[in-house]
Amino acid sequence: MTVIVTGGAGFIGSNFVFHMLKAHPDYRIVCVDKLTYAGNLSTLESVMNNPKFRFCKTDICDREAINKLFEEEKPDIVVNFAAESHVDRSIENPEIFLQTNILGTSVMMDASRKYGVKRYHQVSTDEVYGDLPLDRPDLFFTESTHIHTSSPYSSSKAGADLLVLAYYRTYGLPVTISRCSNNYGPYHFPEKLIPLMIANALADKPLPVYGKGENVRDWLYVEDHCKAIDLIIHNGRVGEVYNVGGHNEMKNIDIVRLICKELGKPESLITYVTDRKGHDMRYAIDPTKIHNELGWLPETKFADGIKKTIKWYLDNEKWWKDIISGEYQNYYTKMYGNR
Ligand code: NAD
Ligand code: TYD
């Protein structure tokens, strides 16, 4: 089996590469990544010399290069993680989100059709469902919840999902889609909530909480997401969408407080800043379908996962300090300087 993994130098993609090399040592894993600001070759250092692994620095929008790669590798499975993934950046500059997330997806699917892959899997997000009100804890996203997006990021992911389902119906491309809740764990890029708060707290810098910090996210340890995708690409039904989430809803402010506590830092570092435009209130996944059909259940409890994650950031300071010392400083000043 040869599996093409796009976006494998990013957060979830790299964890998936590690998972696949371990879980399926006989598979060949080919990582395709453009190495944008969010992609890091150092993340893949430990597998670079693995004979079952190949890294290709390629843009998924580059049709010619993608076709050439498919010609060479003749992949059985394609898993598309590559995306612009940060909501705040999408609010500043939507265009690249449409380019990579929608057009890039179509390029990957065209190549998958042309070379007859057995499975094309699209890694999507619960954000395509929009948000739920805080005062209705009885409501959850199911696979039949309407698409109702809020940000340019989620709209671009929803556009890609619709295209994936259209390729299934129109061309019979054997597709599956997973829509996962917020992930956390090793190699999470420091612009996102949990690693940003860990890095700032360690430096005794202000912890910028948007609005009142009451927004709720449903957090899943990244390895559990990787295991869900592994199950879907092997046993999931073609043409189907699977929601993936851990029934682990937390308010942003409670996460930030927990990080302060774990790191022994004072809550006085918490600074409430101007809210994100169009900020989704609550995400909450109903994972009944993937549980009933594929037997998937999250294995890592948040209380353990957050400890493991904090330990990882403490043990791997070089990884994230290298990132935040470069161009990231300009991003941080622009986003948080006058907030
Ligand atoms: P990330 O930003 O950490 O990584 C994205 C990777 O894609 C990077 O390595 C980047 O270099 C690469 N990339 C970007 N544009 C590319 C292009 N044009 N061609 C090739 N490579 C390109 O993102 P992530 O958090 O790991 O998310 C991965 C996927 O999972 C995304 O599709 C995202 O929408 C989805 N997702 C993320 C979460 C989450 O909590 N992070 C939750 C659900 C779904
Ligand atoms: P984020 O990690 O960007 O993921 P998403 O927007 O995809 O859910 O943000 C998670 C939550 O944390 C979201 O409600 C926005 C909030 N947030 C802050 O309060 N401060 C921050 O500095 C960041 C990055 C996010």
Side-chain angles (χ1 to χ4, degrees), residues 11-12 15-16 19 81 121 123 178-186 218-232 242-248 287 290 294-306 308-309:
F11 166 42
I12 310 174
N15 279 283
F16 185 72
H19 165 83
F81 288 92
H121 183 76
V123 181
S178 51
R179 293 185 180 143
C180 190
S181 57
N182 286 58
N183 285 213
Y184 68 103
D218 179 359
W219 294 92
L220 182 71
Y221 195 61
V222 63
E223 249 174 52
D224 281 322
H225 185 192
C226 295
K227 286 180 183 166
I229 295 173
D230 187 356
L231 279 173
I232 296 169
Y242 292 90
N243 282 356
V244 183
H247 273 309
N248 183 69
I290 188 166
L294 305 177
W296 179 87
L297 274 179
E299 290 167 24
T300 302
K301 288 197 187 78
F302 188 78
D304 302 329
I306 193 73
K308 271 206 273 188
T309 303

Side-chain angles (χ1 to χ4, degrees), residues 1-6 26-32 50-58 64-78 108 111-112 114-118:
M1 280 278 197
T2 296
V3 184
I4 287 190
V5 178
T6 72
D26 52 329
Y27 284 20
R28 177 170 170 77
I29 307 296
V30 179
C31 170
V32 173
N50 185 326
K52 291 288 186 189
F53 179 73
R54 175 181 174 193
F55 177 80
C56 299
K57 184 177 182 310
T58 306
E64 208 178 309
I66 292 296
N67 282 341
K68 187 165 169 280
L69 183 70
F70 274 63
E71 181 79 51
E72 281 167 24
E73 293 290 348
K74 310 224 164 9
D76 300 282
I77 300 174
V78 173
M108 292 308 297
S112 298
K114 188 167 176 192
Y115 295 94
V117 305
K118 298 187 190 80

Side-chain angles (χ1 to χ4, degrees), residues 10-12 33-34 36 39 59-60 81 85 100 124 153 157 183:
F11 166 42
I12 310 174
D33 200 296
K34 183 183 174 183
T36 67
D59 185 339
I60 60 163
F81 288 92
S85 70
T100 289
S124 186
Y153 163 67
K157 293 297 289 183
N183 285 213

